[in-house]
Amino acid sequence: MKFFVDTADTAEIAALAASGLLDGVTTNPTLIAKSGRPMGAVIAEICKLVHGPVSAEVTATDHAGMMREAAVLRAIAHNVAIKVPLTPDGLRTCRALTDDGVMVNVTLCFSAAQAILAAKAGAAFVSPFVGRLDDIGEDGMGLIATILEIYRNYPGFKTEVLVASVRGPAHVVEAARLGAHVATVPPAVLHQLFAHPLTEKGLAGFLADWAKTGQTIAG
Ligand code: E4P
């Protein structure tokens, strides 16, 4: 399973990239706005920190506008994945970019029917938003299970299921249990994945006992 981090905070990304656990990054217009920096500079910096796919989202809503924006964004670095919304124009743009050899992440997916369309449009990734579905009383992880089941029926579908709008470790674990290809996770949730009280308690105990020996391993 691949881990992407869902942020435009380059300091956070640099720290997480150093862990060796990061396979890519997703951003969206909200996250870019939160960074308070120009989008081009942020995406360029992220692409230097992480070699895997870095999603940069278009904000035009028509096909021609999306293509113009995609031309600017894809020129930033070879690992930019163009993120388009799951709309008719977005999927038309997805097909055009895919045919031109560009990775596309189709975002704002909330149904299995939409996920089928994204795969038919040749998307490299489809991003179902599990947290936002849970927020309105629907079953986000149930949607992931359904999409994976459908995609497995069609080996010709090369689209990877990128679990998005992740709210906590339980979403990540369930995504892995279902066999989702990728989870894009906010930095805070990535940090939570490390935590277990017995790990902290066990380490404290080992270190206390070790200190009593007066030994050092590396001098
Ligand atoms: C995915 O690529 C989106 O950027 C993101 O996961 C949205 O999450 P949110 O529902 O927490 O805004």
Side-chain angles (χ1 to χ4, degrees), residues 20-87:
L21 293 170
L22 211 54
D23 301 296
V25 177
T26 52
T27 67
N28 62 40
T30 302
L31 294 170
I32 296 287
K34 207 168 146 192
S35 79
R37 299 176 56 201
M39 180 178 185
V42 174
I43 298 296
E45 195 178 331
I46 297 173
C47 288
K48 283 191 190 129
L49 293 168
V50 177
H51 299 300
V54 174
S55 288
E57 186 161 345
V58 297
T59 54
T61 53
D62 65 298
H63 171 65
M66 288 183 194
M67 291 300 288
R68 278 195 300 276
E69 292 182 357
V72 173
L73 296 172
R74 64 190 277 197
I76 295 174
H78 73 280
N79 54 331
V80 168
I82 303 298
K83 208 171 177 190
V84 299
L86 210 154
T87 60

Side-chain angles (χ1 to χ4, degrees), residues 36-204:
R37 299 176 56 201
M39 180 178 185
V42 174
I43 298 296
E45 195 178 331
I46 297 173
C47 288
K48 283 191 190 129
L49 293 168
V50 177
H51 299 300
V54 174
S55 288
E57 186 161 345
V58 297
T59 54
T61 53
D62 65 298
H63 171 65
M66 288 183 194
M67 291 300 288
R68 278 195 300 276
E69 292 182 357
V72 173
L73 296 172
R74 64 190 277 197
I76 295 174
H78 73 280
N79 54 331
V80 168
I82 303 298
K83 208 171 177 190
V84 299
L86 210 154
T87 60
D89 283 68
L91 292 187
R92 182 177 165 197
T93 303
C94 174
R95 171 49 66 198
L97 292 171
T98 298
D99 288 350
D100 202 24
V102 179
M103 277 182 293
V104 179
N105 176 359
V106 175
T107 191
L108 293 169
C109 173
F110 292 96
S111 76
Q114 290 179 320
I116 294 169
L117 295 177
K120 284 191 66 68
F125 305 102
V126 65
S127 293
F129 279 34
V130 294
R132 292 193 194 189
L133 281 169
D134 292 353
D135 289 346
I136 61 161
E138 293 195 22
D139 179 7
M141 293 314 303
L143 174 62
I144 300 300
T146 303
I147 295 171
L148 287 166
E149 182 188 349
I150 291 169
Y151 280 12
R152 285 182 187 127
N153 288 338
Y154 298 96
F157 284 175
K158 302 299 178 203
T159 305
E160 296 193 0
V161 177
L162 195 171
V163 178
S165 189
V166 164
R167 299 282 198 252
H171 274 153
V172 179
V173 172
E174 183 63 5
R177 199 177 69 80
L178 292 170
H181 307 85
V182 192
T184 189
V185 183
V189 176
L190 263 176
H191 293 302
Q192 283 180 304
L193 292 177
F194 284 93
H196 195 287
L198 290 181
T199 303
E200 284 147 36
K201 188 178 169 197
L203 183 58

